[in-house]
Amino acid sequence: HDSSRTIKKIIISVVNTSKDETPLVTDDFANNLPKEGDIVLTRVTRITLQRANVEILAVENRPTPVDSGAGSNGTGIVAPGGGSGAATFSISQASSDLGETFRGIIRSQDVRTTERDRVKMMESFKPGDIVRAQVLSLGDGSNYYLTTARNDLGVVFAKSFNGAGGLMYAIDWQTMAAPLNGVTELRKCAKPF
């Protein structure tokens, strides 16, 4: 028996956290990548007859990633039409000032659940629209495949006159209106959540 030996006691305790608590930061970048089933906030960049190309701006209900020092990370509250039920989104770390964003595609067959073969992309989205969508799959390697085929998915913010006019709000599932001048335009609108 050696009397010069020091014994250290380490106490480990488990703390129960409520469901409402979410960590403010995480060092695991992979946790902030969009995954199948995630709800994402996107901006429409381009429209063709068959699809809408979008950039993924944020992933819903995720902790804010650690700031790498370059770019702008943060959280935002999104409530279309000023509704009281807001969802929290975290800005993807890849969505930075460096212009590195995740890209996605909403194909015409993934816009809505009914009459999928009669979807007109130009009546569903316009460039600049902010769209709430769900990740269907990791897609073709460079683009995620996204869907808006649910009542709570679709355009949440849009500007009239193809982005040059005032902010519009959804008045039904396929119409947005600008309150200042009464202009209406067709969109695949998200039901306020």
Side-chain angles (χ1 to χ4, degrees):
H1 187 109
D2 185 2
S3 61
S4 65
R5 215 158 116 194
T6 306
I7 298 174
K8 289 185 180 180
K9 284 188 178 180
I10 298 174
I11 298 172
I12 299 173
S13 59
V14 178
V15 179
N16 186 14
T17 58
S18 70
K19 290 180 185 176
D20 295 281
E21 290 182 29
T22 54
L24 293 177
V25 293
T26 176
D27 1 61
D28 188 0
F29 175 66
N31 284 341
N32 293 299
L33 297 173
K35 298 182 184 67
E36 284 184 37
D38 280 353
I39 303 297
V40 292
L41 206 59
T42 68
R43 181 188 299 119
V44 178
T45 56
R46 193 168 150 247
I47 301 281
T48 69
L49 292 174
Q50 300 300 321
R51 66 192 199 177
N53 290 62
V54 301
E55 60 179 354
I56 297 174
L57 303 174
V59 180
E60 186 175 320
N61 296 330
R62 283 288 182 78
T64 304
V66 172
D67 193 356
S68 62
S72 51
N73 299 322
T75 59
I77 300 299
V78 178
S84 58
T88 303
F89 289 86
S90 72
I91 304 303
S92 163
Q93 188 167 0
S95 177
S96 70
D97 296 337
L98 304 175
E100 307 250 346
T101 56
F102 296 112
R103 292 182 308 218
I105 292 172
I106 304 169
R107 299 169 298 182
S108 61
Q109 66 264 33
D110 297 322
V111 171
R112 61 182 188 223
T113 52
T114 59
E115 298 181 328
R116 293 164 59 169
D117 55 334
R118 297 177 66 188
V119 168
K120 292 181 180 168
M121 293 305 288
M122 290 303 290
E123 292 179 358
S124 302
F125 309 108
K126 293 276 196 300
D129 287 357
I130 304 299
V131 178
R132 187 172 187 252
Q134 184 175 32
V135 177
L136 275 180
S137 73
L138 301 181
D140 59 11
S142 59
N143 290 290
Y144 285 88
Y145 285 163
L146 308 174
T147 180
T148 56
R150 246 174 45 188
N151 287 347
D152 61 326
L153 303 177
V155 178
V156 289
F157 294 112
K159 288 191 173 182
S160 58
F161 304 117
N162 211 17
L167 195 62
M168 299 189 298
Y169 300 98
I171 55 174
D172 61 35
W173 69 274
Q174 64 178 358
T175 312
M176 295 195 100
L180 294 177
N181 56 16
V183 168
T184 62
E185 292 183 17
L186 293 175
R187 296 290 199 282
K188 194 293 180 185
C189 301
K191 184 177 180 180
F193 44 92

